[in-house]
Amino acid sequence: MPAFAGGAAEPPLADSYYALLRRCGGGDGAPNNGGARAAVAAPVAECELPMIDVGCLTSGGGGSSEAERAACAAAIARAAEEWGFFQVRNHGVAPELLDAMRREQARLFRLPFEAKASGGLLGDSYRWGNPTATSPRQLSWSEAFHVPLAAVSGDAGCDFGGLTTLRDVTREVAGAMSKLAGTLARVLAEALRPAAGERFPEGCDETTCFLRLNRYPPCPVSPPDGASFGLVPHTDSDFLTVLCQDHVGGLQLMKGAGWVAVKPIPGALIVNVGDLFQAWSNNRYKSVEHKVMTNATTERYSVAYFLCPSYDSPIGACEEPSPYRTFTFGEYRRKVQEDVKRTGRKIGLPNFLV
């Protein structure tokens, strides 16, 4: 197993934090003694997301009645409308596979920072911090491989850093999560347009989606207001996201007018609606803002699958008239990137209102 070499595996997040703090007039950026917080953030209530047993959908329907499948589909659609987030069990992604993914993630992130940042690993997909941040509160205290599945599928020649087990596990996890995401997307689409069909969403296949391997290192520093982010508040620019988080917790989402913390449930996967599904559903399904909070002492891992179409795919709508003009996924991504670069924040769907 690759080992830490004098802290060489860690991305220079603290350097970025202190540089941003000085830029904002926050002094010389001396570290907090013993990881103490400069202030205490307001407590956030913990919630349990709607839990849906999707075994009747993922097992091929064997032994399940039509009434059971209809009730399951209705529960999924209701959660997408009311929460934008829900949890699933009996989802068809083996717990042994997810455990193997967690072990391989740990090995991957223990590689030296230089190897991760400049080695072209996993399709040159390594990310850390936030290169567009202009203040400490815009810094994401995390590192990730945002892997295009086109780079790791088949004979793409992807560099896995010599971690051959990582290659096999990554492909297997991507395949299992892809199957689940496709099933759930079709259920949600058919709830609004029964003729949506087996090909929904159009333009999505194993080469257009992404698998993101996340690590949130312990964060011993904090902005003056006491809040710091492993991942800054955002919505997802996809149709659906399937997330496996570990036991540490830290995920929060906006519910009503406030933030709620998501309680980790062993064995469950979290599913959330993305911007593209909100647009396609004419705002029936909700793409909800969410964030990850830092932990002062414990690292956190997660893996997320993003159901995305090809860049030239028009998003469309379940029915007309739509509140949004026609746009492609590529156009949406470019606009998000332009907004973040120009303003430091994502604007998203409001850019595409009629």
Side-chain angles (χ1 to χ4, degrees), residues 22-110:
R22 288 191 294 270
R23 183 189 301 179
C24 294
D28 61 4
N32 292 331
N33 187 25
R37 299 293 182 179
V40 178
V44 173
E46 189 174 64
C47 73
E48 288 193 22
L49 297 175
M51 176 69 78
I52 304 170
D53 187 332
V54 295
C56 61
L57 304 176
T58 59
S59 62
S64 300
S65 69
E66 187 62 35
E68 288 175 314
R69 292 192 290 274
C72 180
I76 292 168
R78 184 166 58 251
E81 291 186 23
E82 296 177 359
W83 284 81
F85 271 76
F86 55 94
Q87 298 177 102
V88 294
R89 64 182 181 220
N90 291 324
H91 41 67
V93 185
E96 299 82 7
L97 178 59
L98 296 174
D99 289 344
M101 185 77 261
R102 168 65 175 78
R103 291 192 297 271
E104 292 306 313
Q105 278 182 265
R107 296 180 68 202
L108 174 65
F109 284 111
R110 288 189 185 114

Side-chain angles (χ1 to χ4, degrees), residues 4 7 9-15 17-18 31-32 34-37 102 109-110 116 128-129 139-143 214-223 228-231 246 248-249 292-301:
F4 287 106
E10 294 293 338
L13 291 163
D15 292 345
Y17 171 83
Y18 294 129
N32 292 331
R37 299 293 182 179
R102 168 65 175 78
F109 284 111
R110 288 189 185 114
K116 293 180 289 189
W128 66 276
L139 179 66
S140 290
W141 198 278
S142 57
E143 58 179 335
N214 298 303
R215 175 179 176 262
Y216 300 90
C219 177
V221 299
S222 177
S228 56
F229 303 119
L231 200 58
D246 64 15
V248 176
V292 177
M293 304 305 294
T294 56
N295 188 300
T297 59
T298 307
E299 67 179 352
R300 175 181 185 269
Y301 289 90

Side-chain angles (χ1 to χ4, degrees), residues 13 54 71 81 100 116 128 131 147 180 193 235 288 317 321 342 347:
L13 291 163
V54 295
E81 291 186 23
K116 293 180 289 189
W128 66 276
V147 186
L180 174 63
R193 194 176 77 190
T235 58
V288 174
R342 188 182 74 255
I347 297 173

